[in-house]
Amino acid sequence: MKNKRHEKILQIIKERIIVTQDELQNILLELGFNVTQSTVSRDIKELRIVKAQDINGIYRYMSPKNGQISVQDNTREHYVDVFVKGAIDVKYAVNNIVVKCYNGMASSTCVAIDTLYGNDILGSLAGDDTIIAVAATEADAKALAEKLLNLIK
């Protein structure tokens, strides 16, 4: 069932402009897939789907697997662009980094952080408009928070 759902998700985002997880969930429900928001969120992460700008300038869910994102887009500059367009503010407390994002942009922004700075964190978690990333030490959290904040300032 999961494989069929994943195939259907890839088909949906290739054929339609999908901008929110809620929109994708509703389409899957209409097609007979009994999914929760958390299931859709996990599927998006497993499929490495990101919210990116298409050729018409629309931010939508896209996947490298069905050719919507070209190989050249999978560069550092692409992920910096995704982060800059999704993040609003960055703060840290102890060894945690909190990134506030535009509504619906946390997932793709989190993928950008993981891709760009995955070696600097123990892990990350994205909600709808907020990301928490955990660093090993407070000094590591401060350093990464400064790097991220410099990208958006």
Side-chain angles (χ1 to χ4, degrees):
M1 185 64 150
K2 183 177 178 179
N3 288 337
K4 286 184 180 181
R5 188 176 67 243
H6 280 192
E7 287 176 22
K8 185 53 76 175
I9 289 170
L10 291 172
Q11 178 186 353
I12 291 167
I13 65 167
K14 184 175 184 179
E15 295 173 357
R16 298 182 183 189
I17 296 173
I18 305 296
V19 295
T20 67
Q21 288 183 15
D22 188 49
E23 188 178 357
L24 182 57
Q25 178 188 7
N26 288 335
I27 292 168
L28 289 168
L29 289 170
E30 288 173 10
L31 295 171
F33 292 91
N34 189 19
V35 293
T36 63
Q37 186 277 328
S38 59
T39 300
V40 172
S41 180
R42 271 192 305 278
D43 288 344
I44 287 171
K45 187 165 188 163
E46 289 172 9
L47 292 167
R48 302 185 65 73
I49 293 170
V50 297
K51 197 175 270 188
Q53 195 171 25
D54 67 15
I55 60 171
N56 297 314
I58 299 169
Y59 279 94
R60 58 185 280 192
Y61 284 116
M62 302 173 84
S63 171
K65 288 186 179 178
N66 50 11
Q68 293 176 308
I69 301 174
S70 68
V71 174
Q72 69 187 28
D73 286 338
N74 288 324
T75 62
R76 177 174 168 69
E77 292 78 25
H78 168 73
Y79 288 107
V80 167
D81 187 54
V82 169
F83 179 81
V84 167
K85 290 179 178 169
I88 299 170
D89 194 19
V90 180
K91 294 185 177 169
Y92 81 96
V94 192
N95 65 324
N96 298 309
I97 301 118
V98 177
V99 181
K100 294 300 286 179
C101 301
Y102 292 101
N103 196 26
M105 295 294 291
S107 181
S108 57
T109 305
C110 191
V111 170
I113 291 170
D114 289 345
T115 302
L116 295 167
Y117 302 105
N119 293 333
D120 297 338
I121 58 175
L122 300 174
S124 62
L125 183 65
D128 191 50
D129 65 357
T130 306
I131 299 165
I132 184 167
V134 180
T137 68
E138 184 171 356
D140 292 341
K142 180 181 180 184
L144 181 56
E146 288 173 357
K147 286 179 193 177
L148 295 172
L149 200 52
N150 284 335
L151 291 175
I152 59 175
K153 296 282 174 171

